[in-house]
Amino acid sequence: MPLVVPGITTTSGDATQEWTNKLVGKTVSDASHSETNFCKQDLPQKCRVIQPGMMVTKDFVPDRLNVHVKDDGTVSHVQHG
């Protein structure tokens, strides 16, 4: 029986879940990819990295990726909107 891991080996088409699997627990920076880092240039064009306490607009943009980071710079969660 094949191994099925939701969001990794399935093709649900849920973009938010795909980005969650790629980013959560990693840092986001201008440097290249590594086990613990994700390069900003590989994020979607419509993307914003939201730091704790940062002011953001409340407008809803369905295809914009919001990457929320913790105080230590690691990604806590992502959402579209």
Side-chain angles (χ1 to χ4, degrees):
M1 177 183 297
L3 175 65
V4 177
V5 179
I8 296 175
T9 58
T10 59
T11 54
S12 65
D14 183 4
T16 302
Q17 186 61 48
E18 290 177 24
W19 281 109
T20 297
N21 294 338
K22 289 179 186 178
L23 296 174
V24 170
K26 293 186 176 184
T27 57
V28 178
S29 70
D30 295 325
S32 60
H33 288 296
S34 72
E35 297 250 340
T36 59
N37 186 53
F38 195 87
C39 187
K40 282 183 183 178
Q41 71 183 20
D42 293 329
L43 292 171
Q45 184 175 5
K46 288 186 180 179
C47 175
R48 59 184 176 179
V49 177
I50 303 171
Q51 299 173 353
M54 184 175 169
M55 295 181 68
V56 294
T57 60
K58 292 282 223 170
D59 61 323
F60 183 75
V61 180
D63 58 339
R64 178 177 56 204
L65 182 68
N66 295 307
V67 179
H68 296 264
V69 297
K70 298 186 266 185
D71 287 326
D72 65 358
T74 58
V75 177
S76 62
H77 66 285
V78 299
Q79 65 187 38
H80 277 90

Coordinates of all heavy atoms in Angstrom, one line a residue:
M1 N 0.8 -1.2 0.0 CA 0.0 0.0 0.0 C 0.9 1.2 0.0 O 1.8 1.3 0.8 CB -0.9 0.0 1.3 CG -1.8 1.2 1.4 SD -2.8 1.3 2.9 CE -3.8 -0.1 2.7
P2 N 0.6 2.2 -0.9 CA 1.4 3.4 -0.9 C 1.2 4.3 0.3 O 0.2 4.3 0.9 CB 1.0 4.1 -2.2 CG -0.4 3.6 -2.4 CD -0.4 2.2 -1.9
L3 N 2.3 5.0 0.6 CA 2.2 6.0 1.8 C 1.5 7.2 1.3 O 1.8 7.8 0.3 CB 3.6 6.4 2.2 CG 3.7 7.4 3.3 CD1 3.1 6.9 4.6 CD2 5.1 7.8 3.5
V4 N 0.5 7.7 2.1 CA -0.3 8.9 1.7 C -0.2 9.8 2.9 O -0.6 9.5 4.0 CB -1.8 8.6 1.5 CG1 -2.5 9.8 1.2 CG2 -1.9 7.6 0.3
V5 N 0.5 10.9 2.7 CA 0.7 12.0 3.7 C -0.1 13.2 3.2 O 0.3 13.8 2.1 CB 2.2 12.3 3.9 CG1 2.3 13.4 4.9 CG2 2.9 11.0 4.3
P6 N -1.1 13.6 3.8 CA -1.9 14.8 3.4 C -1.0 16.0 3.1 O -0.2 16.4 4.0 CB -2.9 15.0 4.5 CG -3.0 13.7 5.3 CD -1.6 13.1 5.1
G7 N -1.3 16.6 2.0 CA -0.5 17.8 1.6 C 0.9 17.6 1.1 O 1.5 18.5 0.5
I8 N 1.4 16.4 1.2 CA 2.7 16.1 0.6 C 2.6 15.1 -0.5 O 3.2 15.4 -1.6 CB 3.7 15.5 1.8 CG1 3.9 16.6 2.8 CG2 5.0 15.1 1.2 CD1 4.6 16.1 4.0
T9 N 2.0 14.0 -0.3 CA 1.9 13.0 -1.4 C 0.5 13.1 -2.1 O 0.2 12.3 -3.0 CB 2.1 11.6 -0.9 OG1 1.2 11.3 0.1 CG2 3.6 11.5 -0.4
T10 N -0.4 14.0 -1.7 CA -1.7 14.1 -2.3 C -1.7 15.4 -3.2 O -0.9 16.3 -2.9 CB -2.8 14.1 -1.3 OG1 -2.6 15.3 -0.4 CG2 -2.9 12.9 -0.5
T11 N -2.6 15.4 -4.1 CA -2.7 16.6 -5.0 C -4.1 17.2 -4.7 O -5.0 17.1 -5.6 CB -2.5 16.2 -6.5 OG1 -3.4 15.1 -6.8 CG2 -1.1 15.8 -6.7
S12 N -4.3 17.8 -3.6 CA -5.6 18.4 -3.2 C -5.8 19.7 -4.0 O -6.9 20.1 -4.1 CB -5.6 18.6 -1.7 OG -4.7 19.6 -1.3
G13 N -4.8 20.3 -4.4 CA -4.9 21.6 -5.1 C -5.0 22.8 -4.2 O -5.3 23.9 -4.6
D14 N -4.9 22.6 -2.9 CA -5.0 23.6 -1.9 C -3.6 24.3 -1.8 O -2.7 23.9 -1.1 CB -5.4 23.0 -0.5 CG -5.6 24.1 0.6 OD1 -5.5 25.3 0.2 OD2 -5.9 23.7 1.7
A15 N -3.6 25.5 -2.4 CA -2.3 26.3 -2.4 C -1.8 26.7 -1.0 O -0.6 26.7 -0.7 CB -2.5 27.5 -3.3
T16 N -2.8 27.0 -0.1 CA -2.4 27.4 1.2 C -1.7 26.3 1.9 O -0.6 26.4 2.6 CB -3.6 27.9 2.0 OG1 -4.2 29.0 1.3 CG2 -3.2 28.3 3.4
Q17 N -2.2 25.1 1.8 CA -1.6 23.9 2.4 C -0.3 23.6 1.8 O 0.7 23.2 2.6 CB -2.5 22.7 2.3 CG -2.0 21.5 3.1 CD -1.9 21.7 4.6 OE1 -2.9 22.3 5.2 NE2 -0.8 21.4 5.2
E18 N -0.1 23.7 0.5 CA 1.2 23.5 -0.1 C 2.3 24.5 0.4 O 3.4 24.1 0.7 CB 1.1 23.6 -1.6 CG 0.3 22.5 -2.3 CD 0.1 22.7 -3.7 OE1 0.9 23.4 -4.4 OE2 -0.9 22.2 -4.3
W19 N 1.9 25.8 0.6 CA 2.9 26.7 1.1 C 3.1 26.5 2.6 O 4.2 26.7 3.0 CB 2.4 28.2 0.8 CG 2.6 28.6 -0.6 CD1 1.7 28.8 -1.6 CD2 3.9 28.8 -1.2 NE1 2.3 29.2 -2.7 CE2 3.7 29.2 -2.5 CE3 5.2 28.8 -0.7 CZ2 4.7 29.5 -3.4 CZ3 6.2 29.1 -1.6 CH2 6.0 29.5 -2.9
T20 N 2.1 26.0 3.3 CA 2.3 25.7 4.7 C 3.4 24.6 4.8 O 4.3 24.7 5.7 CB 1.0 25.2 5.4 OG1 0.1 26.3 5.3 CG2 1.2 24.8 6.8
N21 N 3.2 23.6 4.0 CA 4.2 22.5 4.1 C 5.6 22.9 3.7 O 6.6 22.4 4.2 CB 3.8 21.4 3.1 CG 2.5 20.7 3.6 OD1 2.1 20.7 4.7 ND2 1.8 20.1 2.6
K22 N 5.7 23.9 2.8 CA 7.1 24.4 2.4 C 7.7 25.3 3.4 O 8.9 25.4 3.5 CB 6.9 25.2 1.1 CG 6.6 24.3 -0.1 CD 6.5 25.2 -1.4 CE 6.1 24.4 -2.6 NZ 5.9 25.2 -3.8
L23 N 6.9 26.1 4.1 CA 7.4 27.3 4.9 C 7.4 27.1 6.4 O 8.3 27.7 7.0 CB 6.7 28.5 4.5 CG 6.8 29.0 3.0 CD1 5.9 30.2 2.8 CD2 8.2 29.4 2.7
V24 N 6.4 26.5 7.0 CA 6.3 26.5 8.4 C 7.6 25.9 9.1 O 8.0 24.8 8.7 CB 5.0 25.8 8.9 CG1 5.0 25.6 10.4 CG2 3.8 26.6 8.5
G25 N 8.1 26.6 10.0 CA 9.3 26.2 10.7 C 10.6 26.7 10.1 O 11.7 26.5 10.7
K26 N 10.5 27.3 8.9 CA 11.7 27.8 8.3 C 11.8 29.3 8.4 O 10.8 29.9 8.7 CB 11.7 27.4 6.8 CG 11.9 26.0 6.5 CD 12.0 25.7 5.0 CE 12.2 24.3 4.7 NZ 12.4 24.0 3.3
T27 N 13.0 29.9 8.2 CA 13.1 31.3 8.1 C 13.0 31.7 6.7 O 13.2 30.9 5.8 CB 14.4 31.8 8.7 OG1 15.5 31.2 8.0 CG2 14.6 31.5 10.2
V28 N 12.6 33.0 6.4 CA 12.5 33.5 5.1 C 13.5 34.7 5.0 O 13.5 35.6 5.8 CB 11.1 34.1 4.8 CG1 11.0 34.7 3.4 CG2 10.1 32.9 5.0
S29 N 14.4 34.6 4.0 CA 15.5 35.6 3.8 C 15.8 35.7 2.4 O 15.3 35.0 1.5 CB 16.7 35.3 4.7 OG 17.4 34.2 4.1
D30 N 16.8 36.7 2.1 CA 17.2 36.9 0.7 C 18.3 35.8 0.3 O 18.6 35.8 -0.9 CB 17.9 38.3 0.6 CG 16.8 39.4 0.8 OD1 15.7 39.2 0.4 OD2 17.2 40.4 1.4
A31 N 18.8 35.1 1.3 CA 19.8 34.0 1.0 C 19.1 32.9 0.2 O 17.9 32.8 0.1 CB 20.4 33.6 2.3
S32 N 20.0 32.0 -0.2 CA 19.5 30.8 -1.0 C 18.8 29.8 0.0 O 18.9 29.9 1.2 CB 20.6 30.1 -1.7 OG 21.6 29.7 -0.8
H33 N 18.2 28.8 -0.6 CA 17.5 27.8 0.1 C 18.4 26.9 0.9 O 19.6 26.7 0.6 CB 16.7 26.8 -0.8 CG 15.5 27.4 -1.4 ND1 14.4 27.8 -0.7 CD2 15.2 27.6 -2.7 CE1 13.5 28.3 -1.5 NE2 14.0 28.2 -2.8
S34 N 17.9 26.4 2.1 CA 18.6 25.4 2.9 C 17.6 24.6 3.6 O 16.4 24.9 3.4 CB 19.6 26.0 3.8 OG 18.9 26.7 4.9
E35 N 18.0 23.7 4.5 CA 17.0 22.9 5.3 C 16.2 23.8 6.2 O 15.0 23.5 6.5 CB 17.8 21.9 6.1 CG 18.5 20.9 5.3 CD 17.9 19.5 5.4 OE1 17.1 19.3 6.3 OE2 18.2 18.7 4.5
T36 N 16.7 25.0 6.6 CA 16.0 25.8 7.6 C 15.7 27.2 7.0 O 15.2 28.0 7.8 CB 16.9 26.0 8.8 OG1 18.1 26.6 8.5 CG2 17.1 24.7 9.5
N37 N 16.0 27.4 5.7 CA 15.7 28.8 5.1 C 15.0 28.7 3.8 O 15.3 27.7 3.0 CB 17.1 29.5 4.9 CG 16.9 30.9 4.5 OD1 16.2 31.7 5.1 ND2 17.6 31.2 3.4
F38 N 14.1 29.6 3.5 CA 13.4 29.7 2.3 C 13.7 31.1 1.6 O 13.6 32.1 2.3 CB 11.9 29.5 2.4 CG 11.2 29.2 1.2 CD1 11.1 27.9 0.7 CD2 10.6 30.2 0.4 CE1 10.4 27.6 -0.4 CE2 10.0 29.9 -0.8 CZ 9.9 28.6 -1.2
C39 N 14.1 31.1 0.4 CA 14.5 32.3 -0.3 C 13.3 33.1 -0.7 O 12.3 32.6 -1.3 CB 15.3 31.9 -1.5 SG 16.0 33.4 -2.3
K40 N 13.3 34.4 -0.4 CA 12.1 35.3 -0.7 C 11.8 35.4 -2.2 O 10.7 35.5 -2.5 CB 12.4 36.7 -0.2 CG 12.3 36.9 1.3 CD 12.5 38.4 1.7 CE 12.4 38.6 3.2 NZ 12.7 40.0 3.5
Q41 N 12.9 35.3 -3.0 CA 12.6 35.4 -4.4 C 11.8 34.3 -5.0 O 11.2 34.4 -6.1 CB 13.9 35.6 -5.2 CG 14.7 34.3 -5.3 CD 16.1 34.5 -6.0 OE1 16.5 35.7 -6.1 NE2 16.7 33.5 -6.4
D42 N 11.7 33.2 -4.2 CA 10.9 32.0 -4.7 C 9.4 32.1 -4.2 O 8.7 31.1 -4.4 CB 11.5 30.7 -4.3 CG 12.9 30.5 -5.0 OD1 13.0 31.0 -6.2 OD2 13.8 29.9 -4.5
L43 N 9.1 33.1 -3.4 CA 7.7 33.3 -3.0 C 6.9 33.9 -4.2 O 7.5 34.5 -5.1 CB 7.7 34.2 -1.8 CG 8.3 33.7 -0.5 CD1 8.4 34.8 0.5 CD2 7.5 32.5 0.0
P44 N 5.6 33.7 -4.1 CA 4.8 34.3 -5.2 C 4.9 35.8 -5.3 O 5.3 36.5 -4.3 CB 3.3 34.0 -4.8 CG 3.4 32.9 -3.8 CD 4.8 33.0 -3.1
Q45 N 4.6 36.4 -6.4 CA 4.8 37.8 -6.6 C 3.9 38.6 -5.6 O 4.3 39.6 -5.1 CB 4.5 38.2 -8.1 CG 4.7 39.7 -8.4 CD 4.5 40.0 -9.8 OE1 4.1 39.2 -10.6 NE2 4.8 41.2 -10.2
K46 N 2.7 38.1 -5.4 CA 1.8 38.7 -4.5 C 1.9 38.0 -3.1 O 1.3 37.0 -2.9 CB 0.3 38.6 -4.9 CG 0.0 39.5 -6.1 CD -1.5 39.5 -6.4 CE -1.9 40.3 -7.6 NZ -3.3 40.3 -7.9
C47 N 2.9 38.6 -2.4 CA 3.2 37.9 -1.1 C 3.6 39.0 -0.1 O 4.2 40.0 -0.5 CB 4.3 36.9 -1.3 SG 4.9 36.2 0.3
R48 N 3.3 38.8 1.2 CA 3.9 39.7 2.2 C 4.3 38.9 3.4 O 3.6 38.0 3.8 CB 2.9 40.9 2.5 CG 1.6 40.4 3.1 CD 0.7 41.6 3.3 NE -0.7 41.2 3.7 CZ -1.6 42.0 4.0 NH1 -1.5 43.3 3.9 NH2 -2.8 41.5 4.4
V49 N 5.4 39.3 4.0 CA 5.9 38.6 5.2 C 5.5 39.5 6.3 O 5.9 40.7 6.4 CB 7.4 38.4 5.1 CG1 7.9 37.8 6.4 CG2 7.8 37.5 3.9
I50 N 4.7 39.0 7.2 CA 4.1 39.7 8.3 C 4.8 39.4 9.6 O 4.8 38.2 10.1 CB 2.6 39.5 8.4 CG1 1.9 39.8 7.1 CG2 2.0 40.3 9.6 CD1 0.5 39.4 7.0
Q51 N 5.5 40.3 10.2 CA 6.2 40.1 11.5 C 5.3 40.5 12.7 O 4.3 41.2 12.5 CB 7.5 41.0 11.5 CG 8.4 40.7 10.4 CD 9.6 41.6 10.3 OE1 9.6 42.6 10.9 NE2 10.5 41.3 9.4
P52 N 5.6 40.0 13.9 CA 4.8 40.3 15.0 C 4.6 41.8 15.3 O 5.6 42.5 15.2 CB 5.5 39.6 16.2 CG 6.3 38.5 15.5 CD 6.7 39.1 14.2
G53 N 3.4 42.2 15.5 CA 3.2 43.7 15.8 C 3.2 44.5 14.5 O 2.9 45.7 14.6
M54 N 3.4 44.0 13.4 CA 3.4 44.8 12.1 C 2.0 45.2 11.7 O 1.1 44.4 11.8 CB 4.1 43.9 11.0 CG 4.3 44.6 9.7 SD 5.2 43.4 8.6 CE 5.0 44.3 7.1
M55 N 1.9 46.4 11.3 CA 0.6 46.9 10.8 C 0.4 46.4 9.4 O 1.3 46.5 8.6 CB 0.5 48.4 10.9 CG 0.5 48.9 12.4 SD 0.3 50.6 12.5 CE -1.3 50.9 12.0
V56 N -0.8 45.9 9.1 CA -1.1 45.5 7.7 C -2.5 46.0 7.3 O -3.3 46.2 8.2 CB -1.0 43.9 7.5 CG1 0.4 43.4 7.7 CG2 -2.0 43.2 8.5
T57 N -2.8 46.1 6.1 CA -4.1 46.5 5.6 C -5.0 45.3 5.7 O -4.6 44.2 5.8 CB -4.0 47.0 4.1 OG1 -3.6 45.9 3.3 CG2 -3.1 48.2 4.0
K58 N -6.3 45.6 5.8 CA -7.3 44.6 6.0 C -8.0 44.2 4.7 O -8.9 43.4 4.7 CB -8.4 45.1 7.0 CG -8.0 45.2 8.4 CD -7.9 43.9 9.0 CE -8.5 44.0 10.4 NZ -8.6 42.7 11.0
D59 N -7.5 44.8 3.6 CA -8.1 44.4 2.3 C -7.9 42.9 2.0 O -6.8 42.4 2.3 CB -7.5 45.3 1.2 CG -6.0 45.2 1.0 OD1 -5.3 45.0 2.0 OD2 -5.6 45.2 -0.2
F60 N -8.8 42.3 1.3 CA -8.8 40.9 1.0 C -8.3 40.7 -0.4 O -9.0 41.2 -1.4 CB -10.1 40.2 1.3 CG -10.1 38.7 1.0 CD1 -9.5 37.9 1.9 CD2 -10.6 38.2 -0.1 CE1 -9.4 36.5 1.7 CE2 -10.6 36.8 -0.4 CZ -10.0 36.0 0.5
V61 N -7.2 40.1 -0.7 CA -6.7 39.8 -2.0 C -6.6 38.3 -2.1 O -5.6 37.7 -1.5 CB -5.4 40.5 -2.3 CG1 -4.9 40.2 -3.7 CG2 -5.5 42.0 -2.1
P62 N -7.5 37.6 -2.7 CA -7.5 36.1 -2.7 C -6.3 35.4 -3.1 O -5.9 34.3 -2.5 CB -8.7 35.7 -3.6 CG -9.5 37.0 -3.8 CD -8.6 38.1 -3.6
D63 N -5.5 36.0 -4.0 CA -4.3 35.3 -4.5 C -3.0 35.8 -3.8 O -1.9 35.4 -4.2 CB -4.2 35.4 -6.0 CG -4.2 36.8 -6.5 OD1 -4.6 37.7 -5.8 OD2 -3.7 37.0 -7.7
R64 N -3.1 36.6 -2.8 CA -2.0 37.1 -2.1 C -1.6 36.1 -0.9 O -2.5 35.8 -0.1 CB -2.2 38.5 -1.5 CG -1.0 39.0 -0.7 CD -1.2 40.4 -0.2 NE -2.4 40.5 0.6 CZ -3.1 41.6 0.9 NH1 -2.7 42.7 0.3 NH2 -4.2 41.6 1.6
L65 N -0.4 35.8 -0.8 CA 0.1 34.9 0.2 C 0.6 35.7 1.4 O 1.5 36.6 1.2 CB 1.2 33.9 -0.3 CG 1.7 32.9 0.7 CD1 0.7 31.9 1.0 CD2 3.0 32.3 0.2
N66 N 0.0 35.5 2.6 CA 0.5 36.1 3.8 C 1.3 35.2 4.6 O 0.8 34.1 5.0 CB -0.7 36.6 4.7 CG -1.5 37.7 3.9 OD1 -1.0 38.7 3.5 ND2 -2.8 37.4 3.8
V67 N 2.6 35.5 4.8 CA 3.5 34.6 5.6 C 3.7 35.3 6.9 O 4.3 36.3 7.0 CB 4.8 34.4 4.8 CG1 5.8 33.6 5.6 CG2 4.6 33.9 3.4
H68 N 3.2 34.6 8.0 CA 3.4 35.1 9.3 C 4.6 34.5 10.0 O 4.7 33.3 10.0 CB 2.1 34.8 10.2 CG 0.9 35.4 9.6 ND1 0.4 36.6 10.1 CD2 0.0 35.1 8.6 CE1 -0.7 37.0 9.5 NE2 -0.9 36.0 8.5
V69 N 5.5 35.4 10.5 CA 6.7 34.9 11.2 C 6.6 35.2 12.7 O 6.0 36.2 13.1 CB 8.0 35.5 10.6 CG1 8.1 35.0 9.1 CG2 8.0 37.0 10.6
K70 N 7.3 34.4 13.5 CA 7.4 34.7 14.9 C 8.6 35.6 15.2 O 9.3 36.0 14.3 CB 7.7 33.3 15.6 CG 6.6 32.3 15.5 CD 6.8 31.1 16.3 CE 7.5 30.0 15.5 NZ 7.6 28.8 16.2
D71 N 8.8 36.0 16.5 CA 9.8 36.9 16.9 C 11.2 36.4 16.5 O 12.1 37.2 16.2 CB 9.8 37.1 18.4 CG 8.7 38.0 18.9 OD1 8.3 38.9 18.1 OD2 8.2 37.7 20.0
D72 N 11.4 35.1 16.5 CA 12.7 34.5 16.1 C 12.9 34.4 14.6 O 13.9 33.9 14.1 CB 13.0 33.2 16.8 CG 12.0 32.1 16.3 OD1 11.1 32.3 15.5 OD2 12.2 30.9 16.8
G73 N 11.9 34.8 13.8 CA 12.0 34.8 12.3 C 11.5 33.6 11.6 O 11.5 33.5 10.4
T74 N 11.1 32.6 12.4 CA 10.6 31.4 11.8 C 9.1 31.5 11.4 O 8.4 32.3 12.1 CB 10.7 30.1 12.6 OG1 10.0 30.3 13.9 CG2 12.2 29.8 12.9
V75 N 8.7 30.9 10.3 CA 7.3 31.0 9.8 C 6.4 30.2 10.8 O 6.6 29.0 11.1 CB 7.2 30.5 8.4 CG1 5.7 30.5 7.9 CG2 8.1 31.3 7.5
S76 N 5.3 30.9 11.3 CA 4.4 30.2 12.2 C 3.2 29.7 11.4 O 2.8 28.5 11.6 CB 3.9 31.2 13.2 OG 3.2 32.3 12.6
H77 N 2.7 30.4 10.4 CA 1.6 29.9 9.6 C 1.5 30.8 8.3 O 2.1 31.9 8.3 CB 0.3 29.9 10.3 CG -0.2 31.2 10.7 ND1 0.3 32.0 11.8 CD2 -1.2 32.0 10.2 CE1 -0.4 33.1 11.9 NE2 -1.3 33.1 11.0
V78 N 0.8 30.3 7.3 CA 0.5 31.1 6.1 C -1.0 31.1 5.8 O -1.7 30.2 6.3 CB 1.3 30.5 4.9 CG1 2.8 30.6 5.1 CG2 0.9 29.1 4.5
Q79 N -1.4 32.1 5.1 CA -2.8 32.1 4.6 C -2.9 33.0 3.4 O -2.0 33.7 3.1 CB -3.7 32.7 5.7 CG -3.4 34.2 6.0 CD -4.2 34.7 7.2 OE1 -4.3 34.0 8.2 NE2 -4.6 36.0 7.1
H80 N -4.0 32.8 2.6 CA -4.2 33.6 1.5 C -5.2 34.6 1.8 O -6.1 34.4 2.6 CB -4.7 32.7 0.3 CG -3.6 32.1 -0.5 ND1 -3.1 30.8 -0.1 CD2 -2.9 32.5 -1.5 CE1 -2.2 30.5 -0.9 NE2 -2.0 31.5 -1.8
G81 N -5.1 35.8 1.3 CA -6.1 36.9 1.5 C -5.5 38.3 1.5 O -4.5 38.6 1.3

